[in-house]
Amino acid sequence: MLRLVGAFLVVWILASGAQGQGQPAAGGESEKKPLITPPKLIRFVEADYPEIEGEEPEETVVELNIVVGKDGRVTEVDVALSAGEAFDEAAAAAARQFVFEPARTDWEPIAARIRYRYVFELKAPTEAITTGWLSGSVLLAEDDSAAGSVGIEIANEQGELVRDLVSGPDGTFIATDLEPGKYQITILGGEYGDLEAEEELAAGEVTEVIYRLGAKKRAAYRGFGETAVIDAPPREVVKRTIDKEELTRIPGTRGDALRAVELLPGVARPPFGIGLLIVRGSAPQDSESFIDGIPVPLIYHFGGLTSVYNSYQLEKIDFYPGNFSVRYGRRTGGILEVTTRDPAQDRIHGVAEISVIDTFITLEGPITDKISISGGLRRSLIDLILPAVLPDDIGVRQAPVYIDYQFKLKFAPTKRDRIRISAYGSSDRLELILEEAGGDDPAIRGNTQFATSFYNNQIDWRRRVGDNVDQELAFNVGPSKITFGLGDEFRLEGTFLQTYGRAEWRYQVTDRVRLIAGLDVFVAPVDLNYVGPQPTSNEGAGSQQGSLAGQEQVIADVDTTVYRPGIYLESGLRLGKFTELILGLRVDYFGDIDAFAVDPRVTTIFTVRPDMRVKLGVGIFSQPPEFQESDASIGNPNLDPIQAVHVGAGWEYDPIPGFRFGVEGFYKYLWDRAIQTPNGEAPFYVTGGIGRIYGAEFSANFRPATGRKYFGYLSYTLSRSERKDGPEEPWRLFDFDQTHILTAAFVYKFPRNWEIGGTFRLVSGNPNTPVIGSVYDALSDVFIPIDGRVNSLRNPLFHELNVRVQKEWIFKGWQLALFLDIRNAYNQQNQEGIIYNFDFTQQSPLLGLPIIPSLGVRGQL
């Protein structure tokens, strides 16, 4: 409860400060005419000087009318001012080979007619051209529309990567100054599948090509977005992806991609939006977040306002609410996999943004044709607002500040290899001085501080070992720290040095059999100091955790090493034309409780027809108890691993490209949960709790395959999550059980680069526990509440509308955007809990976040 109140206080203060910001003036849009840019010549072809018998060579000019198409190629040439038939023909022949950057209206390419003066200059003889050019377009096979910005890799006959390009928004690309010879071209088509082709270039010639993606479009649920020859099989009954084009455009997220995860089916709403990941009725600690395959200790900054990794450096987010692959272990809830982007290889790019909440900058670009780097830095601005709005009895020693950074270096020594070196981290700090006692607890006064940080340093290497084998290796090491103090009665200081390694091999045995084998190792030296009351259960504790005052203090000084290795094996078997069977087995060892876990999993996918799939899955999932539950000084090291069985069935239908409908049913049964002993007696925790979770999810995604003027999500989850804390205890609701979760989001891009979107959420209120009386503690001079049945009440229905408006201006080489993101646009007073007076005889609702407008400006290269 203290954590929720603290989060509410800080975020409410932010909202109050944000409301004082000015709104953009009406009529501020002065630009009424479209921005038109003329064609720009990017490839000039020199004509041969005509040999005319009996005439001395001299400088000659031919004026031409040239029509430049939307793709930048010349479609028509005629002579406007002649210099003679020989010169006219030579000039026209050369002009037909010109390549232009096309004319644009508000960044949209258009055809244009221009006048061009072709000058025949007298020059000294030049050396012969020794290189060739490759120019072309990437289209979608379904309708010949431009594929947009896609990656293009060009490798020589030795397999060395010589160019790493990205096509323009219109699908065009050009590679200059290539040595004559044969080249292997790879188009990285994403959901449309990769395309490979071989081209031969000759000196002094331009080879023009057209590549069409999606002749055999991959199903969107396949793999993990890798570009290796052997795609990982679809290893989950349900996988949901947010594409990079949509990551920063979801209303209510302030452009933060990871906040958009809350829109997905199966994700519950955390109180006050504090950033907890609550998946299908599982506790937050039962799910885990990964960045490029490496687990991270936290994914959001203080209060859940912002995620710890800049959204403009992300490629996509994959979310697995259950029945996930054996590649992931040590968790019984869900998995969030964040894939970061490789740095740009074509030129220098950058983004800078400032809003009332924070400011950041990112830069990326090539160093050589094989090396590119990127970096980013963000700092909050909350500390400039909070001291001015806090009550007088709360002194500010350190206002809340968060900082995060990212650095990445990509090195592609050959076409078969990709090496990435990454460093990223996050730091949060808050420190207050409470002059008066906090509420009904005299112990909560004085210095109150909270600080967390983590710093990851990672290297990963992906190699195509052979035509049928891929290898992927990753290693990470970095410290994590936490400090949390409440007056003199509670203090927690911990340092963890996370070391994590993963190795995975994929082998295409035949066209019907694939094998995946891997191992991962988690090692963390722990140095922990704790002063406070005996730790209690994080979930199901009732209305109050009790007063800090008057409780017997526990002192724990922990210096140990947590060691958790795991191995896994998975096979994908194609049985006939319509069925794929995926079998997996994972074995984990939990050194902190000296226990093994063996988790078999199976998934079956039936492709009823090309646009319809039915998926069934069942599996066992295991995770160790929480650290405070299994440590010998404050817990029980003889606990068993917590286990769960997941059963799921899903149906997906793609009626037309870009539209997907899905229905999923799920059931989870938990056993061997750690539960508290009666009256908190040693060994404090025992194995014996169980749980059950069941429900259904309905989803619709709208992502037009062409045009991309809009996108939207619609999801509804109906579920129930219950726990039983011992053989003789009754079933009760889980703390974050939410029966109904309805989410709708829609974003539309209007002409003149206006974009407007909205997100609406309608969610059942969280359960809470009634207080039926209290007892006076004379020693501590406080009243101790007497709880009724745990979680037998429920907060009222929650509803909220978030709105985002953005206007972009496109200039030559850069863009400027002004945005307004409004959370809780109609200022709904949602109840998040109940607060009581000193003796618990009176109560009032604890209200959630008010309207929070965030105005900002962003520049982008």
Side-chain angles (χ1 to χ4, degrees):
M1 189 67 178
L2 294 172
R3 294 183 182 181
L4 299 186
V5 173
F8 165 72
L9 173 65
V10 173
V11 179
W12 180 84
I13 289 170
L14 291 176
S16 301
Q19 292 179 52
Q21 302 297 317
Q23 299 289 329
E29 172 58 60
S30 61
E31 180 187 33
K32 296 184 178 180
K33 295 183 178 180
L35 176 65
I36 299 177
T37 57
K40 178 182 177 181
L41 184 63
I42 60 176
R43 179 167 70 86
F44 172 80
V45 176
E46 186 168 2
D48 294 331
Y49 194 98
E51 293 184 5
I52 303 177
E53 187 176 351
E55 293 186 11
E56 289 292 329
E58 61 181 14
E59 187 172 285
T60 305
V61 175
V62 178
E63 293 194 8
L64 303 172
N65 291 322
I66 299 176
V67 177
V68 181
K70 294 171 64 175
D71 59 358
R73 293 185 177 82
V74 174
T75 60
E76 294 182 24
V77 178
D78 60 68
V79 178
L81 180 61
S82 175
E85 183 178 356
F87 286 99
D88 295 348
E89 290 179 356
R96 291 188 181 96
Q97 301 178 64
F98 285 0
V99 177
F100 290 82
E101 173 69 27
R104 297 180 184 273
T105 299
D106 286 339
W107 208 243
E108 293 293 328
I110 60 173
R113 186 180 183 89
I114 62 172
R115 177 71 66 89
Y116 185 87
R117 297 180 74 250
Y118 198 104
V119 180
F120 289 86
E121 296 178 335
L122 296 178
K123 298 180 181 179
T126 58
E127 296 181 2
I129 299 176
T130 60
T131 60
W133 289 27
L134 179 67
S135 173
S137 299
V138 184
L139 308 177
L140 298 180
E142 58 193 11
D143 58 5
D144 266 5
S145 62
S149 300
V150 298
I152 302 168
E153 295 179 350
I154 304 176
N156 61 21
E157 293 182 273
Q158 289 73 43
E160 298 173 339
L161 186 67
V162 297
R163 291 288 192 280
D164 192 353
L165 312 174
V166 177
S167 62
D170 56 355
T172 60
F173 70 93
I174 189 167
T176 63
D177 298 327
L178 295 170
E179 295 295 328
K182 293 182 179 180
Y183 290 87
Q184 186 71 23
I185 316 299
T186 303
I187 312 297
L188 307 177
E191 64 174 328
Y192 292 94
D194 294 352
L195 176 65
E196 293 189 350
E198 184 179 279
E199 306 293 349
E200 185 169 3
L201 306 185
E205 294 183 3
V206 177
T207 301
E208 296 187 359
V209 294
I210 296 177
Y211 299 121
R212 289 180 171 83
L213 293 173
K216 296 182 179 179
K217 181 181 175 181
R218 282 192 313 194
Y221 63 84
R222 283 192 171 271
F224 294 90
E226 302 169 9
T227 57
V229 172
I230 305 169
D231 285 330
R235 294 177 273 182
E236 296 76 30
V237 172
V238 179
K239 167 185 172 181
R240 299 190 172 100
T241 299
I242 304 176
D243 290 338
K244 63 181 179 181
E245 246 186 278
E246 303 162 9
L247 289 179
T248 60
R249 299 164 61 191
I250 306 294
T253 65
R254 297 190 308 105
D256 194 304
L258 286 162
R259 294 306 308 269
V261 173
E262 294 180 12
L263 302 180
L264 300 177
V267 180
R269 186 194 67 84
F272 300 103
I274 58 177
L276 301 176
L277 185 60
I278 306 168
V279 181
R280 284 185 176 174
S282 296
Q285 64 269 21
D286 294 347
S287 300
E288 190 156 38
S289 300
F290 292 78
I291 295 179
D292 289 332
I294 302 296
V296 290
L298 55 90
I299 203 70
Y300 296 107
H301 284 295
F302 176 78
L305 287 175
T306 307
S307 62
V308 299
Y309 209 101
N310 193 289
S311 299
Y312 285 89
Q313 295 185 328
L314 300 184
E315 178 71 23
K316 64 176 180 177
I317 299 172
D318 291 329
F319 172 60
Y320 308 102
N323 265 308
F324 41 84
S325 163
V326 292
R327 185 175 190 262
Y328 304 103
R330 310 182 187 98
R331 287 295 178 263
T332 60
I335 297 294
L336 183 68
E337 176 74 74
V338 179
T339 302
T340 64
R341 266 194 315 109
D342 286 342
Q345 188 69 42
D346 57 339
R347 60 180 179 86
I348 294 177
H349 296 264
V351 181
E353 179 177 298
I354 184 170
S355 71
V356 297
I357 304 297
D358 58 28
T359 182
F360 72 80
I361 184 171
T362 70
L363 284 172
E364 59 182 306
I367 300 298
T368 70
D369 59 348
K370 295 183 178 181
I371 299 176
S372 56
I373 63 171
S374 64
L377 179 66
R378 170 166 47 199
R379 188 194 189 278
S380 65
L381 303 178
I382 306 171
D383 54 318
L384 305 179
I385 302 173
L386 187 61
V389 298
L390 276 178
D392 294 336
D393 59 346
I394 300 180
V396 180
R397 178 173 295 177
Q398 173 68 60
V401 173
Y402 61 77
I403 297 173
D404 62 63
Y405 69 90
Q406 303 84 33
F407 169 81
K408 177 174 290 185
L409 181 147
K410 174 199 168 186
F411 175 44
T414 71
K415 183 186 176 183
R416 291 178 174 269
D417 296 275
R418 186 199 67 179
I419 299 172
R420 299 194 303 181
I421 299 174
S422 306
Y424 55 92
S426 166
S427 176
D428 296 66
R429 185 172 180 83
L430 166 68
E431 190 169 347
L432 304 174
I433 300 175
L434 304 179
E435 300 294 344
E436 301 294 334
D440 54 354
D441 194 341
I444 305 179
R445 63 181 299 169
N447 190 25
T448 299
Q449 58 180 305
F450 175 77
T452 64
S453 63
F454 79 91
Y455 308 97
N456 273 6
N457 304 284
Q458 176 180 340
I459 182 170
D460 59 77
W461 174 31
R462 189 181 67 196
R463 177 171 175 77
R464 299 178 183 177
V465 180
D467 293 339
N468 297 323
V469 180
D470 282 0
Q471 172 183 274
E472 195 165 319
L473 307 176
F475 178 78
N476 172 80
V477 62
S480 302
K481 295 183 179 181
I482 181 170
T483 301
F484 182 40
L486 288 174
D488 298 326
E489 301 296 320
F490 182 93
R491 185 161 186 84
L492 171 67
E493 292 182 348
T495 300
F496 313 84
L497 183 63
Q498 174 180 288
T499 304
Y500 184 88
R502 178 189 293 275
E504 185 173 285
W505 297 267
R506 293 183 289 275
Y507 176 39
Q508 187 79 44
V509 182
T510 70
D511 60 348
R512 292 181 174 271
V513 179
R514 287 172 292 191
L515 292 179
I516 298 175
L519 61 91
D520 56 48
V521 180
F522 176 90
V523 180
V526 177
D527 183 6
L528 182 69
N529 297 296
Y530 173 77
V531 178
Q534 174 64 40
T536 58
S537 238
N538 291 328
E539 195 273 330
S543 65
Q544 301 285 328
Q545 291 285 343
S547 170
L548 291 178
Q551 292 201 32
E552 182 179 351
Q553 283 192 333
V554 173
I555 299 177
D557 188 358
V558 180
D559 186 3
T560 187
T561 298
V562 176
Y563 178 60
R564 297 172 182 170
I567 59 174
Y568 56 91
L569 177 66
E570 191 168 74
S571 66
L573 309 174
R574 188 167 297 280
L575 309 176
K577 187 176 180 180
F578 305 106
T579 305
E580 185 164 5
L581 180 65
I582 300 162
L583 303 173
L585 179 68
R586 182 179 178 95
V587 180
D588 281 293
Y589 175 72
F590 306 123
D592 37 335
I593 57 174
D594 191 23
F596 283 91
V598 180
D599 298 343
R601 302 170 195 175
V602 59
T603 298
T604 305
I605 300 174
F606 302 96
T607 304
V608 181
R609 60 190 202 191
D611 59 358
M612 186 180 296
R613 294 162 297 280
V614 175
K615 300 173 289 183
L616 306 173
V618 62
I620 303 296
F621 300 80
S622 305
Q623 74 179 57
E626 292 299 297
F627 186 77
Q628 71 272 14
E629 297 171 342
S630 61
D631 179 72
S633 59
I634 53 178
N636 181 5
N638 297 315
L639 294 174
D640 294 331
I642 304 167
Q643 295 193 297
V645 60
H646 291 197
V647 180
W651 170 83
E652 288 181 350
Y653 174 50
D654 304 328
I656 60 175
F659 288 72
R660 168 164 295 181
F661 300 94
V663 178
E664 289 84 29
F666 61 90
Y667 175 81
K668 293 195 287 188
Y669 182 79
L670 317 175
W671 69 95
D672 287 345
R673 292 176 46 246
I675 56 176
Q676 285 184 254
T677 56
N679 302 318
E681 299 174 350
F684 310 116
Y685 297 93
V686 295
T687 297
I690 60 175
R692 61 190 182 195
I693 307 164
Y694 49 91
E697 300 164 352
F698 308 87
S699 63
N701 296 338
F702 309 95
R703 302 171 181 169
T706 59
R708 303 293 294 200
K709 293 293 185 184
Y710 64 90
F711 67 88
Y713 299 90
L714 177 65
S715 68
Y716 170 68
T717 302
L718 174 67
S719 67
R720 187 173 181 86
S721 180
E722 299 175 312
R723 302 293 186 272
K724 190 174 182 181
D725 301 322
E728 305 302 323
E729 296 295 322
W731 286 98
R732 63 169 176 84
L733 289 177
F734 171 61
D735 279 359
F736 299 109
D737 174 72
Q738 294 171 9
T739 308
H740 306 281
I741 306 174
L742 175 67
T743 304
F746 187 77
V747 177
Y748 191 88
K749 191 168 186 177
F750 290 89
R752 297 180 179 272
N753 298 310
W754 281 94
E755 185 172 275
I756 300 176
T759 299
F760 178 74
R761 299 203 82 188
L762 182 67
V763 185
S764 298
N766 284 322
N768 59 51
T769 301
V771 174
I772 59 177
S774 62
V775 175
Y776 178 67
D777 182 350
L779 292 177
S780 303
D781 191 29
V782 295
F783 284 84
I784 305 299
I786 300 174
D787 284 350
R789 185 177 176 183
V790 175
N791 290 342
S792 58
L793 297 180
R794 189 182 288 275
N795 292 328
L797 197 68
F798 172 96
H799 55 96
E800 179 181 86
L801 175 66
N802 303 319
V803 177
R804 181 179 178 87
V805 180
Q806 178 173 285
K807 165 63 178 174
E808 280 189 317
W809 291 270
I810 311 296
F811 303 97
K812 184 178 180 180
W814 68 289
Q815 304 173 39
L816 180 68
L818 180 69
F819 62 87
L820 176 64
D821 197 291
I822 306 175
R823 187 166 183 175
N824 194 7
Y826 52 79
N827 199 27
Q828 172 62 25
Q829 302 296 299
N830 290 300
Q831 179 178 321
E832 297 284 12
I834 298 174
I835 53 177
Y836 296 87
N837 67 339
F838 72 100
D839 62 356
F840 296 92
T841 58
Q842 299 178 9
Q843 66 181 47
S844 59
L846 176 63
L847 299 181
L849 299 178
I851 182 173
I852 303 179
S854 177
L855 181 66
V857 61
R858 180 178 65 253
Q860 188 168 354
L861 293 176

mmCIF file of all heavy atoms in Angstrom, residues 242 253 416 634 742 811 824 839:
data_model
loop_
_atom_site.group_PDB
_atom_site.id
_atom_site.type_symbol
_atom_site.label_atom_id
_atom_site.label_comp_id
_atom_site.label_asym_id
_atom_site.label_seq_id
_atom_site.Cartn_x
_atom_site.Cartn_y
_atom_site.Cartn_z
ATOM 1 N N ILE A 242 4.206 -5.668 -31.744
ATOM 2 C CA ILE A 242 3.989 -4.269 -32.085
ATOM 3 C C ILE A 242 5.104 -3.870 -33.033
ATOM 4 O O ILE A 242 6.280 -3.925 -32.673
ATOM 5 C CB ILE A 242 3.991 -3.382 -30.829
ATOM 6 C CG1 ILE A 242 2.941 -3.861 -29.820
ATOM 7 C CG2 ILE A 242 3.721 -1.933 -31.193
ATOM 8 C CD1 ILE A 242 2.958 -3.087 -28.522
ATOM 9 N N THR A 253 0.796 7.108 -24.314
ATOM 10 C CA THR A 253 2.096 6.557 -23.937
ATOM 11 C C THR A 253 3.204 7.597 -23.998
ATOM 12 O O THR A 253 4.346 7.277 -23.694
ATOM 13 C CB THR A 253 2.475 5.387 -24.860
ATOM 14 O OG1 THR A 253 2.655 5.886 -26.197
ATOM 15 C CG2 THR A 253 1.397 4.321 -24.854
ATOM 16 N N ARG A 416 28.142 -13.706 -43.439
ATOM 17 C CA ARG A 416 27.667 -14.744 -42.528
ATOM 18 C C ARG A 416 27.691 -14.309 -41.064
ATOM 19 O O ARG A 416 27.165 -15.012 -40.206
ATOM 20 C CB ARG A 416 28.519 -16.007 -42.676
ATOM 21 C CG ARG A 416 28.337 -16.729 -44.012
ATOM 22 C CD ARG A 416 29.252 -17.936 -44.096
ATOM 23 N NE ARG A 416 28.988 -18.713 -45.302
ATOM 24 C CZ ARG A 416 28.136 -19.717 -45.365
ATOM 25 N NH1 ARG A 416 27.451 -20.065 -44.290
ATOM 26 N NH2 ARG A 416 27.950 -20.369 -46.496
ATOM 27 N N ILE A 634 16.045 -14.893 6.447
ATOM 28 C CA ILE A 634 14.696 -14.320 6.561
ATOM 29 C C ILE A 634 13.641 -15.187 5.869
ATOM 30 O O ILE A 634 12.465 -14.817 5.829
ATOM 31 C CB ILE A 634 14.651 -12.896 5.966
ATOM 32 C CG1 ILE A 634 15.202 -12.894 4.528
ATOM 33 C CG2 ILE A 634 15.397 -11.915 6.831
ATOM 34 C CD1 ILE A 634 15.142 -11.541 3.853
ATOM 35 N N LEU A 742 -11.185 -4.189 -21.598
ATOM 36 C CA LEU A 742 -11.510 -3.776 -22.969
ATOM 37 C C LEU A 742 -10.589 -2.629 -23.360
ATOM 38 O O LEU A 742 -10.486 -1.629 -22.640
ATOM 39 C CB LEU A 742 -12.968 -3.333 -23.073
ATOM 40 C CG LEU A 742 -13.401 -2.755 -24.432
ATOM 41 C CD1 LEU A 742 -13.368 -3.837 -25.513
ATOM 42 C CD2 LEU A 742 -14.787 -2.134 -24.336
ATOM 43 N N PHE A 811 11.235 19.023 -43.867
ATOM 44 C CA PHE A 811 12.186 19.894 -44.527
ATOM 45 C C PHE A 811 13.224 19.046 -45.259
ATOM 46 O O PHE A 811 13.233 17.823 -45.137
ATOM 47 C CB PHE A 811 12.867 20.817 -43.505
ATOM 48 C CG PHE A 811 11.911 21.655 -42.717
ATOM 49 C CD1 PHE A 811 11.508 21.248 -41.446
ATOM 50 C CD2 PHE A 811 11.385 22.814 -43.245
ATOM 51 C CE1 PHE A 811 10.620 22.002 -40.711
ATOM 52 C CE2 PHE A 811 10.487 23.578 -42.518
ATOM 53 C CZ PHE A 811 10.097 23.170 -41.240
ATOM 54 N N ASN A 824 -5.910 10.434 -19.683
ATOM 55 C CA ASN A 824 -7.165 10.674 -18.956
ATOM 56 C C ASN A 824 -7.783 11.993 -19.421
ATOM 57 O O ASN A 824 -7.970 12.936 -18.643
ATOM 58 C CB ASN A 824 -6.927 10.679 -17.446
ATOM 59 C CG ASN A 824 -8.216 10.591 -16.644
ATOM 60 O OD1 ASN A 824 -9.300 10.389 -17.202
ATOM 61 N ND2 ASN A 824 -8.109 10.742 -15.345
ATOM 62 N N ASP A 839 -8.144 5.622 13.247
ATOM 63 C CA ASP A 839 -8.648 4.438 13.950
ATOM 64 C C ASP A 839 -9.510 3.542 13.056
ATOM 65 O O ASP A 839 -10.209 2.665 13.542
ATOM 66 C CB ASP A 839 -9.432 4.848 15.191
ATOM 67 C CG ASP A 839 -10.659 5.698 14.854
ATOM 68 O OD1 ASP A 839 -10.857 6.024 13.654
ATOM 69 O OD2 ASP A 839 -11.422 6.037 15.772
#
